[in-house]
Amino acid sequence: MITKDELEHYLYDADEEQLEALYSEAREKTIKVYGKNIYIRGLIEFTNYCKNDCLYCGIRRSNSSLKRYRLEQSDIIDCANEGYELGYRTFVLQGGEDLSFSDQDICDIVYNIKSLHNDVAVTLSIGEKEKTTYKAYFDAGADRYLLRHETADEEHYAKLHPEEMSLTNRKRCLYDLRDIGFQVGCGFMVGSPYQNPDTLYQDLCFIDELKPHMVGIGPFISHKDTPFKDEANGTLKSTRILIALLRLMNPRLLIPATTSLATIAPNGRELGILSGANVVMPNLSPVRFRELYALYDGKVCMGEEAAQCINCIRERISDIGYEVIVDRGDYKA
Ligand code: SAH
């Protein structure tokens, strides 16, 4: 585990050369476990209805200017089928916490995707549920679950979320998911309002304790219809540093170079990979709905059809000497 001094050193004092050395060490560690392979996850954003009111998020329930949508089960299956043809072997079903999808609906969707394609992994990213619900998803065939913890500091958590949400419950969910047998991903936004080196260090300590299989981090980006509309965005530099430090903490971790990183820097995805990330999550959602899944302003890759999108990403990744592969991309234990 790194120390808080080391974290602060990289965030504030390290010069270009020291940062390059950090990124290069992180790359080497990744290559030792995963080679120069980059795993792709097809992201299906199937609903932007949400019962929660997270202060940073553009699809929070009090954003009344947002047009809401939800995909039909058949649309979701179509996205997965199209993704399969394009070489995806993992589908991530992500959405707001939309109660009009019952537990059974989610189980049916997972079961149907897995029945159509027996060599894929299905990841869910649909928020906080009871353990029995998570177990039902798992029994229906779901393999992985992404639930960013958002911040491991109680006070910070309370500044980012409405009163009815709690860090205790968020952590409970993550431990339940791990107990059940999911490959679990937690994570946080870099540069979220009120974040500081202490809260960031707590994030790293929590990750060290939970021992997740995946950690998703990307810069916070303000959204015009949220209370944080005037807050500064997270930076490329601090995101790269944190990706690299996570990689040093666990060389086996699956770490995405996120769309938010690509949004704040034109070659953000590539620079994420060059700091130790080994996953990308291109969008498979129907283009007509993409604009509506607006967690933050300025999101990139909104207009491209799935095929166009993966070809562009494949090429860009090959340009930096890595290769997108056709594989479930499980955690290498
Ligand atoms: N409802 C699901 C999915 C949330 S969206 C859940 O609760 O897990 C996925 C992630 O997007 C969130 O966990 C959050 O970390 C990130 N996100 C939300 N708003 C954001 C913003 N303004 N900038 C950057 N990332 C954001």
Side-chain angles (χ1 to χ4, degrees), residues 3 25 31 34 41-42 70 94 97 102 117 125-127 131 133 144 159 207 210 263 265 296-297 327 331:
T3 65
E25 193 188 343
I31 293 168
Y34 291 102
R41 320 298 197 195
R70 57 175 67 95
Q94 190 178 78
E97 290 197 26
S102 68
H117 308 288
S125 178
I126 52 178
K131 189 170 185 179
T133 299
R144 310 188 187 127
K159 288 178 178 158
I207 290 165
L210 176 70
T263 297
Y296 46 81
D297 291 333
D327 194 289
Y331 183 83

PDB file of all heavy atoms in Angstrom, residues 3 25 31 34 41-42 70 94 97 102 117 125-127 131 133 144 159 207 210 263 265 296-297 327 331:
ATOM      1  N   THR A   3       1.777   5.266   0.703  1.00  0.00           N
ATOM      2  CA  THR A   3       1.524   6.119   1.875  1.00  0.00           C
ATOM      3  C   THR A   3       0.839   7.410   1.415  1.00  0.00           C
ATOM      4  O   THR A   3       0.840   7.750   0.225  1.00  0.00           O
ATOM      5  CB  THR A   3       2.843   6.516   2.570  1.00  0.00           C
ATOM      6  OG1 THR A   3       3.595   7.334   1.651  1.00  0.00           O
ATOM      7  CG2 THR A   3       3.662   5.286   2.955  1.00  0.00           C
ATOM      8  N   GLU A  25       6.124   2.750 -14.885  1.00  0.00           N
ATOM      9  CA  GLU A  25       6.128   1.600 -13.968  1.00  0.00           C
ATOM     10  C   GLU A  25       4.743   0.938 -13.952  1.00  0.00           C
ATOM     11  O   GLU A  25       4.630  -0.299 -13.973  1.00  0.00           O
ATOM     12  CB  GLU A  25       6.499   2.070 -12.550  1.00  0.00           C
ATOM     13  CG  GLU A  25       6.824   0.933 -11.614  1.00  0.00           C
ATOM     14  CD  GLU A  25       7.010   1.392 -10.152  1.00  0.00           C
ATOM     15  OE1 GLU A  25       7.211   2.615  -9.924  1.00  0.00           O
ATOM     16  OE2 GLU A  25       6.920   0.530  -9.266  1.00  0.00           O
ATOM     17  N   ILE A  31       1.381  -4.832 -18.177  1.00  0.00           N
ATOM     18  CA  ILE A  31       1.818  -5.688 -19.279  1.00  0.00           C
ATOM     19  C   ILE A  31       2.241  -7.061 -18.751  1.00  0.00           C
ATOM     20  O   ILE A  31       1.986  -8.086 -19.379  1.00  0.00           O
ATOM     21  CB  ILE A  31       2.947  -4.995 -20.083  1.00  0.00           C
ATOM     22  CG1 ILE A  31       2.383  -3.767 -20.808  1.00  0.00           C
ATOM     23  CG2 ILE A  31       3.596  -5.947 -21.074  1.00  0.00           C
ATOM     24  CD1 ILE A  31       3.414  -2.830 -21.398  1.00  0.00           C
ATOM     25  N   TYR A  34      -1.367  -8.715 -18.073  1.00  0.00           N
ATOM     26  CA  TYR A  34      -2.363  -8.751 -19.150  1.00  0.00           C
ATOM     27  C   TYR A  34      -1.769  -8.567 -20.547  1.00  0.00           C
ATOM     28  O   TYR A  34      -2.511  -8.539 -21.534  1.00  0.00           O
ATOM     29  CB  TYR A  34      -3.433  -7.678 -18.907  1.00  0.00           C
ATOM     30  CG  TYR A  34      -4.321  -7.991 -17.717  1.00  0.00           C
ATOM     31  CD1 TYR A  34      -4.143  -7.356 -16.483  1.00  0.00           C
ATOM     32  CD2 TYR A  34      -5.336  -8.943 -17.813  1.00  0.00           C
ATOM     33  CE1 TYR A  34      -4.961  -7.649 -15.391  1.00  0.00           C
ATOM     34  CE2 TYR A  34      -6.154  -9.247 -16.734  1.00  0.00           C
ATOM     35  CZ  TYR A  34      -5.958  -8.600 -15.523  1.00  0.00           C
ATOM     36  OH  TYR A  34      -6.767  -8.893 -14.452  1.00  0.00           O
ATOM     37  N   ARG A  41     -15.730  -3.439 -23.149  1.00  0.00           N
ATOM     38  CA  ARG A  41     -17.034  -3.721 -22.537  1.00  0.00           C
ATOM     39  C   ARG A  41     -18.059  -2.881 -23.282  1.00  0.00           C
ATOM     40  O   ARG A  41     -17.904  -1.638 -23.353  1.00  0.00           O
ATOM     41  CB  ARG A  41     -17.067  -3.283 -21.063  1.00  0.00           C
ATOM     42  CG  ARG A  41     -15.814  -3.536 -20.241  1.00  0.00           C
ATOM     43  CD  ARG A  41     -15.468  -4.971 -20.134  1.00  0.00           C
ATOM     44  NE  ARG A  41     -14.519  -5.257 -19.057  1.00  0.00           N
ATOM     45  CZ  ARG A  41     -13.856  -6.393 -18.955  1.00  0.00           C
ATOM     46  NH1 ARG A  41     -13.981  -7.334 -19.886  1.00  0.00           N
ATOM     47  NH2 ARG A  41     -13.053  -6.608 -17.949  1.00  0.00           N
ATOM     48  N   GLY A  42     -19.077  -3.524 -23.791  1.00  0.00           N
ATOM     49  CA  GLY A  42     -20.122  -2.775 -24.502  1.00  0.00           C
ATOM     50  C   GLY A  42     -21.124  -2.212 -23.505  1.00  0.00           C
ATOM     51  O   GLY A  42     -21.817  -2.958 -22.810  1.00  0.00           O
ATOM     52  N   ARG A  70     -36.531   4.857 -21.356  1.00  0.00           N
ATOM     53  CA  ARG A  70     -36.073   3.521 -20.959  1.00  0.00           C
ATOM     54  C   ARG A  70     -36.193   2.610 -22.167  1.00  0.00           C
ATOM     55  O   ARG A  70     -37.093   2.768 -22.983  1.00  0.00           O
ATOM     56  CB  ARG A  70     -36.822   2.984 -19.738  1.00  0.00           C
ATOM     57  CG  ARG A  70     -38.305   2.899 -19.825  1.00  0.00           C
ATOM     58  CD  ARG A  70     -38.904   2.226 -18.586  1.00  0.00           C
ATOM     59  NE  ARG A  70     -38.764   2.978 -17.350  1.00  0.00           N
ATOM     60  CZ  ARG A  70     -39.687   3.814 -16.829  1.00  0.00           C
ATOM     61  NH1 ARG A  70     -40.823   4.015 -17.464  1.00  0.00           N
ATOM     62  NH2 ARG A  70     -39.480   4.425 -15.682  1.00  0.00           N
ATOM     63  N   GLN A  94     -26.123  -0.537 -17.704  1.00  0.00           N
ATOM     64  CA  GLN A  94     -26.061   0.532 -16.715  1.00  0.00           C
ATOM     65  C   GLN A  94     -27.307   1.403 -16.802  1.00  0.00           C
ATOM     66  O   GLN A  94     -27.867   1.589 -17.876  1.00  0.00           O
ATOM     67  CB  GLN A  94     -24.818   1.397 -16.933  1.00  0.00           C
ATOM     68  CG  GLN A  94     -24.597   2.366 -15.770  1.00  0.00           C
ATOM     69  CD  GLN A  94     -23.351   3.198 -15.939  1.00  0.00           C
ATOM     70  OE1 GLN A  94     -23.334   4.160 -16.695  1.00  0.00           O
ATOM     71  NE2 GLN A  94     -22.300   2.833 -15.235  1.00  0.00           N
ATOM     72  N   GLU A  97     -31.386   4.334 -11.045  1.00  0.00           N
ATOM     73  CA  GLU A  97     -32.159   3.373 -10.245  1.00  0.00           C
ATOM     74  C   GLU A  97     -33.629   3.538 -10.618  1.00  0.00           C
ATOM     75  O   GLU A  97     -34.336   4.380 -10.074  1.00  0.00           O
ATOM     76  CB  GLU A  97     -31.893   3.584  -8.749  1.00  0.00           C
ATOM     77  CG  GLU A  97     -30.482   3.160  -8.372  1.00  0.00           C
ATOM     78  CD  GLU A  97     -30.289   2.956  -6.874  1.00  0.00           C
ATOM     79  OE1 GLU A  97     -31.278   2.662  -6.168  1.00  0.00           O
ATOM     80  OE2 GLU A  97     -29.144   3.102  -6.409  1.00  0.00           O
ATOM     81  N   SER A 102     -38.466  -4.446 -12.642  1.00  0.00           N
ATOM     82  CA  SER A 102     -38.518  -5.288 -11.441  1.00  0.00           C
ATOM     83  C   SER A 102     -37.261  -6.149 -11.384  1.00  0.00           C
ATOM     84  O   SER A 102     -36.531  -6.276 -12.379  1.00  0.00           O
ATOM     85  CB  SER A 102     -39.760  -6.177 -11.490  1.00  0.00           C
ATOM     86  OG  SER A 102     -39.607  -7.117 -12.538  1.00  0.00           O
ATOM     87  N   HIS A 117     -25.835 -16.057 -25.943  1.00  0.00           N
ATOM     88  CA  HIS A 117     -24.377 -16.044 -26.144  1.00  0.00           C
ATOM     89  C   HIS A 117     -23.716 -16.654 -24.922  1.00  0.00           C
ATOM     90  O   HIS A 117     -23.619 -16.010 -23.876  1.00  0.00           O
ATOM     91  CB  HIS A 117     -23.882 -14.593 -26.307  1.00  0.00           C
ATOM     92  CG  HIS A 117     -24.621 -13.819 -27.346  1.00  0.00           C
ATOM     93  ND1 HIS A 117     -24.461 -14.060 -28.691  1.00  0.00           N
ATOM     94  CD2 HIS A 117     -25.536 -12.819 -27.249  1.00  0.00           C
ATOM     95  CE1 HIS A 117     -25.246 -13.225 -29.377  1.00  0.00           C
ATOM     96  NE2 HIS A 117     -25.902 -12.475 -28.523  1.00  0.00           N
ATOM     97  N   SER A 125     -24.834  -2.520 -13.536  1.00  0.00           N
ATOM     98  CA  SER A 125     -24.441  -1.290 -12.856  1.00  0.00           C
ATOM     99  C   SER A 125     -25.716  -0.478 -12.649  1.00  0.00           C
ATOM    100  O   SER A 125     -25.994   0.492 -13.362  1.00  0.00           O
ATOM    101  CB  SER A 125     -23.419  -0.533 -13.708  1.00  0.00           C
ATOM    102  OG  SER A 125     -23.051   0.682 -13.089  1.00  0.00           O
ATOM    103  N   ILE A 126     -26.518  -0.941 -11.689  1.00  0.00           N
ATOM    104  CA  ILE A 126     -27.848  -0.369 -11.491  1.00  0.00           C
ATOM    105  C   ILE A 126     -28.105   0.016 -10.037  1.00  0.00           C
ATOM    106  O   ILE A 126     -29.246   0.079  -9.598  1.00  0.00           O
ATOM    107  CB  ILE A 126     -28.944  -1.322 -12.034  1.00  0.00           C
ATOM    108  CG1 ILE A 126     -28.792  -2.740 -11.459  1.00  0.00           C
ATOM    109  CG2 ILE A 126     -28.885  -1.372 -13.550  1.00  0.00           C
ATOM    110  CD1 ILE A 126     -29.885  -3.714 -11.915  1.00  0.00           C
ATOM    111  N   GLY A 127     -27.026   0.225  -9.310  1.00  0.00           N
ATOM    112  CA  GLY A 127     -27.175   0.855  -8.008  1.00  0.00           C
ATOM    113  C   GLY A 127     -27.370  -0.081  -6.826  1.00  0.00           C
ATOM    114  O   GLY A 127     -27.034  -1.264  -6.872  1.00  0.00           O
ATOM    115  N   LYS A 131     -29.450  -7.630  -0.587  1.00  0.00           N
ATOM    116  CA  LYS A 131     -28.593  -8.780  -0.907  1.00  0.00           C
ATOM    117  C   LYS A 131     -29.358  -9.876  -1.658  1.00  0.00           C
ATOM    118  O   LYS A 131     -28.831 -10.494  -2.583  1.00  0.00           O
ATOM    119  CB  LYS A 131     -27.982  -9.354   0.382  1.00  0.00           C
ATOM    120  CG  LYS A 131     -26.925 -10.412   0.105  1.00  0.00           C
ATOM    121  CD  LYS A 131     -26.153 -10.806   1.359  1.00  0.00           C
ATOM    122  CE  LYS A 131     -25.024 -11.774   1.009  1.00  0.00           C
ATOM    123  NZ  LYS A 131     -24.219 -12.166   2.177  1.00  0.00           N
ATOM    124  N   THR A 133     -31.732  -9.536  -3.713  1.00  0.00           N
ATOM    125  CA  THR A 133     -31.874  -9.120  -5.109  1.00  0.00           C
ATOM    126  C   THR A 133     -30.575  -9.369  -5.873  1.00  0.00           C
ATOM    127  O   THR A 133     -30.583  -9.933  -6.980  1.00  0.00           O
ATOM    128  CB  THR A 133     -32.257  -7.622  -5.173  1.00  0.00           C
ATOM    129  OG1 THR A 133     -33.502  -7.457  -4.506  1.00  0.00           O
ATOM    130  CG2 THR A 133     -32.367  -7.133  -6.594  1.00  0.00           C
ATOM    131  N   ARG A 144     -20.724  -9.833 -13.103  1.00  0.00           N
ATOM    132  CA  ARG A 144     -19.978  -8.729 -12.483  1.00  0.00           C
ATOM    133  C   ARG A 144     -20.947  -7.612 -12.088  1.00  0.00           C
ATOM    134  O   ARG A 144     -22.037  -7.502 -12.656  1.00  0.00           O
ATOM    135  CB  ARG A 144     -18.955  -8.143 -13.467  1.00  0.00           C
ATOM    136  CG  ARG A 144     -18.083  -9.196 -14.121  1.00  0.00           C
ATOM    137  CD  ARG A 144     -16.947  -8.569 -14.943  1.00  0.00           C
ATOM    138  NE  ARG A 144     -16.252  -9.608 -15.672  1.00  0.00           N
ATOM    139  CZ  ARG A 144     -16.025  -9.620 -16.987  1.00  0.00           C
ATOM    140  NH1 ARG A 144     -16.413  -8.597 -17.739  1.00  0.00           N
ATOM    141  NH2 ARG A 144     -15.394 -10.624 -17.558  1.00  0.00           N
ATOM    142  N   LYS A 159     -21.729  15.324   1.453  1.00  0.00           N
ATOM    143  CA  LYS A 159     -21.766  16.554   0.650  1.00  0.00           C
ATOM    144  C   LYS A 159     -22.102  16.273  -0.820  1.00  0.00           C
ATOM    145  O   LYS A 159     -22.447  17.189  -1.565  1.00  0.00           O
ATOM    146  CB  LYS A 159     -20.423  17.271   0.724  1.00  0.00           C
ATOM    147  CG  LYS A 159     -20.184  17.912   2.091  1.00  0.00           C
ATOM    148  CD  LYS A 159     -18.824  18.566   2.147  1.00  0.00           C
ATOM    149  CE  LYS A 159     -18.620  19.246   3.492  1.00  0.00           C
ATOM    150  NZ  LYS A 159     -17.182  19.431   3.796  1.00  0.00           N
ATOM    151  N   ILE A 207     -10.240   0.732  -0.960  1.00  0.00           N
ATOM    152  CA  ILE A 207     -10.005  -0.202  -2.077  1.00  0.00           C
ATOM    153  C   ILE A 207      -9.065  -1.319  -1.633  1.00  0.00           C
ATOM    154  O   ILE A 207      -9.256  -2.490  -1.966  1.00  0.00           O
ATOM    155  CB  ILE A 207      -9.463   0.567  -3.308  1.00  0.00           C
ATOM    156  CG1 ILE A 207     -10.583   1.449  -3.876  1.00  0.00           C
ATOM    157  CG2 ILE A 207      -8.918  -0.381  -4.368  1.00  0.00           C
ATOM    158  CD1 ILE A 207     -10.129   2.520  -4.841  1.00  0.00           C
ATOM    159  N   LEU A 210     -11.360  -3.614   0.533  1.00  0.00           N
ATOM    160  CA  LEU A 210     -12.409  -4.348  -0.200  1.00  0.00           C
ATOM    161  C   LEU A 210     -11.819  -5.384  -1.153  1.00  0.00           C
ATOM    162  O   LEU A 210     -12.398  -6.437  -1.378  1.00  0.00           O
ATOM    163  CB  LEU A 210     -13.293  -3.347  -0.973  1.00  0.00           C
ATOM    164  CG  LEU A 210     -14.375  -3.939  -1.878  1.00  0.00           C
ATOM    165  CD1 LEU A 210     -15.492  -4.583  -1.058  1.00  0.00           C
ATOM    166  CD2 LEU A 210     -14.962  -2.878  -2.816  1.00  0.00           C
ATOM    167  N   THR A 263     -13.452  12.751 -22.413  1.00  0.00           N
ATOM    168  CA  THR A 263     -14.212  13.992 -22.570  1.00  0.00           C
ATOM    169  C   THR A 263     -13.385  15.221 -22.186  1.00  0.00           C
ATOM    170  O   THR A 263     -13.480  16.267 -22.819  1.00  0.00           O
ATOM    171  CB  THR A 263     -15.510  13.931 -21.727  1.00  0.00           C
ATOM    172  OG1 THR A 263     -16.319  12.867 -22.220  1.00  0.00           O
ATOM    173  CG2 THR A 263     -16.292  15.238 -21.775  1.00  0.00           C
ATOM    174  N   ALA A 265     -10.022  15.354 -22.258  1.00  0.00           N
ATOM    175  CA  ALA A 265      -8.796  15.448 -23.060  1.00  0.00           C
ATOM    176  C   ALA A 265      -8.995  14.650 -24.341  1.00  0.00           C
ATOM    177  O   ALA A 265      -9.493  13.525 -24.291  1.00  0.00           O
ATOM    178  CB  ALA A 265      -7.615  14.876 -22.282  1.00  0.00           C
ATOM    179  N   TYR A 296     -22.930  14.066 -17.311  1.00  0.00           N
ATOM    180  CA  TYR A 296     -22.145  15.310 -17.226  1.00  0.00           C
ATOM    181  C   TYR A 296     -22.177  15.969 -18.602  1.00  0.00           C
ATOM    182  O   TYR A 296     -22.568  15.336 -19.598  1.00  0.00           O
ATOM    183  CB  TYR A 296     -20.706  15.010 -16.792  1.00  0.00           C
ATOM    184  CG  TYR A 296     -20.077  13.852 -17.533  1.00  0.00           C
ATOM    185  CD1 TYR A 296     -19.536  14.017 -18.803  1.00  0.00           C
ATOM    186  CD2 TYR A 296     -20.055  12.572 -16.978  1.00  0.00           C
ATOM    187  CE1 TYR A 296     -18.993  12.957 -19.497  1.00  0.00           C
ATOM    188  CE2 TYR A 296     -19.509  11.491 -17.671  1.00  0.00           C
ATOM    189  CZ  TYR A 296     -18.983  11.696 -18.932  1.00  0.00           C
ATOM    190  OH  TYR A 296     -18.453  10.639 -19.623  1.00  0.00           O
ATOM    191  N   ASP A 297     -21.743  17.225 -18.673  1.00  0.00           N
ATOM    192  CA  ASP A 297     -21.792  17.968 -19.935  1.00  0.00           C
ATOM    193  C   ASP A 297     -20.652  17.568 -20.884  1.00  0.00           C
ATOM    194  O   ASP A 297     -19.560  17.197 -20.444  1.00  0.00           O
ATOM    195  CB  ASP A 297     -21.675  19.484 -19.665  1.00  0.00           C
ATOM    196  CG  ASP A 297     -22.905  20.044 -18.962  1.00  0.00           C
ATOM    197  OD1 ASP A 297     -23.996  19.456 -19.128  1.00  0.00           O
ATOM    198  OD2 ASP A 297     -22.768  21.060 -18.254  1.00  0.00           O
ATOM    199  N   ASP A 327     -12.603 -11.056 -26.095  1.00  0.00           N
ATOM    200  CA  ASP A 327     -12.420 -11.886 -24.900  1.00  0.00           C
ATOM    201  C   ASP A 327     -13.322 -11.341 -23.801  1.00  0.00           C
ATOM    202  O   ASP A 327     -13.560 -10.139 -23.744  1.00  0.00           O
ATOM    203  CB  ASP A 327     -10.955 -11.763 -24.468  1.00  0.00           C
ATOM    204  CG  ASP A 327     -10.538 -12.819 -23.451  1.00  0.00           C
ATOM    205  OD1 ASP A 327     -10.980 -12.742 -22.280  1.00  0.00           O
ATOM    206  OD2 ASP A 327      -9.755 -13.709 -23.818  1.00  0.00           O
ATOM    207  N   TYR A 331     -11.025 -11.093 -14.559  1.00  0.00           N
ATOM    208  CA  TYR A 331      -9.947 -10.806 -13.621  1.00  0.00           C
ATOM    209  C   TYR A 331      -9.011 -12.017 -13.598  1.00  0.00           C
ATOM    210  O   TYR A 331      -9.464 -13.155 -13.484  1.00  0.00           O
ATOM    211  CB  TYR A 331     -10.558 -10.593 -12.241  1.00  0.00           C
ATOM    212  CG  TYR A 331      -9.583 -10.215 -11.143  1.00  0.00           C
ATOM    213  CD1 TYR A 331      -9.178  -8.887 -10.980  1.00  0.00           C
ATOM    214  CD2 TYR A 331      -9.112 -11.172 -10.249  1.00  0.00           C
ATOM    215  CE1 TYR A 331      -8.314  -8.536  -9.958  1.00  0.00           C
ATOM    216  CE2 TYR A 331      -8.241 -10.820  -9.215  1.00  0.00           C
ATOM    217  CZ  TYR A 331      -7.841  -9.507  -9.082  1.00  0.00           C
ATOM    218  OH  TYR A 331      -6.993  -9.149  -8.067  1.00  0.00           O
TER     219      TYR A 331
END
